[in-house]
């Protein structure tokens, strides 16, 4: 059975074509994402049982984190389906408004009494039943806005004053707001994603490398200006020098990796999750996977993420061949963002990078992150779906 839908030609004009069957989509990308969220659900439950049972906040219920994560996942899948049903053109028109709304939320989270502070960081807006993390929403908003900005200003992208400077000013505003939370990890992901999209969209190579140099100098200055950030940097270089202090998290993460060996100690049999490894169900979920499922489990997670990144860029290439430039940049932006954040989280868990407050996309516990990640994958699937419909229409 087939239906008629609206897709876009080389200039993103609406035109009706005879659609392919509803099953015609990138199944490899969809199943990779579903496998990651399914494994994440199981591992969040496994890694959070001890924490949930010992906390009055959870009512001493072992399934507290599992039930909330399942609820988040259900909401994320509904949101992803809704996004998939909307044409890419809708998101291009909405990009400036979504970006403005995300900036407003970043401002709102800093307002005393509105933003919720946890461990010295004010990153959440409490909406009674759930907490919204504006920095997660900004990751998606910056992908859409940078893609739209690049398409609109493609003719002047090689000009520093007309092409790069306006976007640079906006990103400096976003960076300032994120540093006030503070959320240095989200800042790095957003900056790299935006910079990557500008480069892929036609920014001058000279401007690109100059901007990369400025960012490196800026990040170094931020690290040196904060004793807390410096402590994290030097702590990751030698966690065993202060295994009960600044190297505590990393040392226990490395112990988890060591205990897992090739095939792990078995699902649910982790020792490190028993109040030894902090944030086991969020930032250090991969360490618990390594302990319980071993090298095989970690390798499977890496392969699935690599496949998602490869398919995102392959879909982007097909969209570019059809001159659907916004759609192409969105797919590349999502691939860059998901891949880079996963790389940082894995590097932190393995002791290759300094500790950062970044979750493992599609897997770690968290409502805002799960919803935004699933929506991002749905956007890439929509880009692929429209590519297929357009090709079918041209071949008809």
């Amino acid at each position: 059975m087939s239906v008629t839908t609206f897709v876009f030609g080389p200039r993103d004009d609406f035109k009706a074509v005879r659609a392919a069957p509803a099953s015609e989509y990138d199944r490899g990308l969809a199943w990779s994402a579903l496998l990651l969220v399914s494994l994440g659900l199981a591992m969040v439950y496994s890694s959070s049982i001890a924490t949930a049972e010992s906390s009055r906040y959870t009512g001493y219920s072992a399934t507290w984190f599992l039930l909330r994560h399942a609820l988040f996942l259900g909401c994320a899948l509904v949101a992803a389906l809704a996004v998939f049903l909307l044409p890419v053109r809708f998101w291009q028109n909405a990009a400036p408004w979504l970006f403005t709304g995300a900036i407003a939320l970043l401002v709102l989270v800093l307002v005393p009494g509105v933003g919720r502070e946890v461990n010295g960081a004010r990153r959440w807006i409490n909406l009674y039943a759930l907490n919204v993390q504006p920095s997660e929403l900004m990751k998606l908003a910056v992908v859409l806005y940078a893609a739209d900005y690049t398409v609109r200003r493609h003719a002047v992208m090689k000009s520093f004053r007309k092409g790069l400077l306006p976007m640079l000013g906006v990103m400096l505003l976003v960076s300032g707001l994120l540093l006030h939370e503070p959320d240095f990890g989200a800042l790095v992901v957003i900056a790299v994603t935006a910079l990557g999209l500008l480069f892929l969209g036609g920014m001058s190579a000279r401007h690109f490398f100059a901007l990369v140099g400025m960012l490196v100098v800026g990040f170094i200055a931020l690290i040196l200006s904060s004793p807390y950030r410096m402590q994290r940097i030097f702590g990751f270089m030698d966690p065993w020098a202060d295994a009960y202090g600044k190297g505590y998290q990393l040392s226990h993460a490395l112990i988890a990796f060591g205990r897992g060996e090739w095939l792990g100690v078995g699902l649910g049999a982790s020792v490190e999750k028993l109040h030894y490894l902090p944030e086991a169900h969020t930032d250090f979920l991969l360490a618990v996977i390594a302990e319980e499922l071993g090298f095989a489990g970690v390798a499977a997670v890496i392969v699935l993420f690599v496949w998602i990144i490869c398919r995102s860029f392959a879909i982007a290439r097909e969209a570019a061949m059809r001159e659907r430039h916004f759609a192409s940049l969105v797919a590349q932006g999502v691939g860059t963002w998901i891949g880079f954040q996963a790389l940082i989280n894995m590097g932190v868990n393995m002791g290759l990078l300094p500790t950062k407050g970044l979750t493992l996309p599609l897997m770690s516990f968290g409502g805002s992150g799960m919803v935004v990640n699933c929506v991002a994958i749905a956007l890439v699937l929509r880009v692929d779906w429209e590519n297929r419909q357009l090709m079918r229409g041209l071949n008809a």
Side-chain angles (χ1 to χ4, degrees):
M1 180 178 178
S2 61
V3 296
T4 298
T5 188
F6 288 103
V7 298
F8 313 103
R11 296 183 181 177
D12 278 352
D13 298 322
F14 283 97
K15 76 174 181 179
V17 299
R18 188 131 179 107
S23 61
E24 212 171 278
Y25 60 93
D26 193 313
R27 298 187 181 188
L29 174 59
W31 277 107
S32 295
L34 286 172
L35 285 172
L36 284 174
V37 298
S38 300
L39 178 60
L41 181 65
M43 295 311 302
V44 163
Y45 178 45
S46 175
S47 61
S48 65
I49 293 174
T51 302
E53 286 182 333
S54 64
S55 173
R56 184 175 298 175
Y57 173 73
T58 64
Y60 306 109
S61 170
T63 60
W64 192 88
F65 287 102
L66 170 66
L67 295 177
R68 285 185 67 85
H69 192 66
L71 176 61
F72 295 151
L73 182 54
C75 294
L77 293 177
V78 170
L81 178 60
V83 166
F84 180 78
L85 295 176
L86 292 171
V88 174
R89 182 68 174 179
F90 171 85
W91 298 106
Q92 185 172 6
N93 292 332
W97 301 103
L98 293 173
F99 187 69
T100 303
I103 290 178
L105 289 175
L106 287 180
V107 174
L108 194 61
V109 79
L110 298 175
V111 177
V114 177
R116 180 188 174 204
E117 186 172 336
V118 178
N119 297 328
R122 192 184 296 272
R123 302 176 185 173
W124 299 268
I125 296 176
N126 193 347
L127 298 180
Y128 300 103
L130 59 113
N131 294 314
V132 175
Q133 191 170 356
S135 60
E136 291 292 339
L137 304 179
M138 177 55 76
K139 292 173 186 176
L140 177 62
V142 81
V143 168
L144 296 172
Y145 181 75
D148 177 56
Y149 178 90
T150 302
V151 170
R152 284 188 289 107
R153 292 181 172 259
H154 181 71
V156 295
M157 278 304 295
K158 294 190 181 298
S159 167
F160 179 80
R161 183 174 63 86
K162 295 181 179 180
L164 182 59
L165 191 58
M167 186 65 178
L168 185 59
V170 171
M171 292 311 300
L172 286 175
L173 170 63
V174 173
S175 300
L177 292 172
L178 288 171
L179 286 175
H180 273 83
E181 293 187 4
D183 195 344
F184 189 67
L187 170 59
V188 172
V189 172
I190 289 171
V192 169
T193 303
L195 185 61
L197 279 174
L198 291 175
F199 178 71
L200 292 167
M203 182 173 65
S204 165
R206 178 166 54 90
H207 293 156
F208 173 75
F209 288 112
L211 193 55
V212 168
M214 290 170 56
L215 285 174
V216 171
V217 171
F219 286 145
I220 292 174
L222 286 171
I223 291 169
L224 295 178
S225 64
S226 170
Y228 173 71
R229 295 191 189 105
M230 286 185 64
Q231 186 181 59
R232 283 196 165 189
I233 291 292
F234 292 112
F236 115 87
M237 290 181 177
D238 186 10
W240 306 109
D242 188 10
Y244 293 99
K246 59 187 179 183
Y248 182 80
Q249 280 183 306
L250 181 52
S251 62
H252 281 280
L254 294 177
I255 291 171
F257 271 87
R259 291 192 75 245
E261 297 185 352
W262 288 100
L263 299 177
V265 297
L267 185 62
S270 167
V271 171
E272 287 301 317
K273 69 183 181 184
L274 304 177
H275 304 295
Y276 293 105
L277 180 62
E279 309 297 339
H281 57 297
T282 55
D283 299 358
F284 284 88
L285 185 67
L286 188 70
V288 179
I289 293 174
E291 186 177 3
E292 295 191 351
L293 305 181
F295 173 81
V298 174
V301 170
I302 293 174
V303 167
L304 290 172
F305 273 113
V306 169
W307 183 252
I308 287 175
I309 297 165
C310 290
R311 289 309 306 154
S312 296
F313 276 86
I315 290 168
R317 184 174 62 251
E318 297 221 354
M321 290 170 60
R322 292 161 178 76
E323 298 184 27
R324 303 180 60 234
H325 302 299
F326 174 78
S328 175
L329 287 170
V330 167
Q332 291 177 90
V334 170
T336 301
W337 154 33
I338 298 292
F340 187 67
Q341 182 168 332
L343 178 66
I344 292 180
N345 180 273
M346 292 176 184
V348 168
N349 275 253
M350 297 178 188
L352 302 176
L353 293 172
T355 303
K356 282 277 146 277
L358 285 173
T359 56
L360 189 60
L362 298 168
M363 299 190 74
S364 293
F365 177 82
S368 300
M370 179 60 70
V371 171
V372 171
N373 292 159
C374 289
V375 164
I377 296 297
L379 274 172
V380 180
L381 287 170
R382 177 70 196 197
V383 171
D384 173 68
W385 192 83
E386 290 185 6
N387 285 344
R388 295 170 188 252
Q389 310 316 305
L390 181 58
M391 178 57 68
R392 186 180 179 91
L394 294 174
N395 292 335

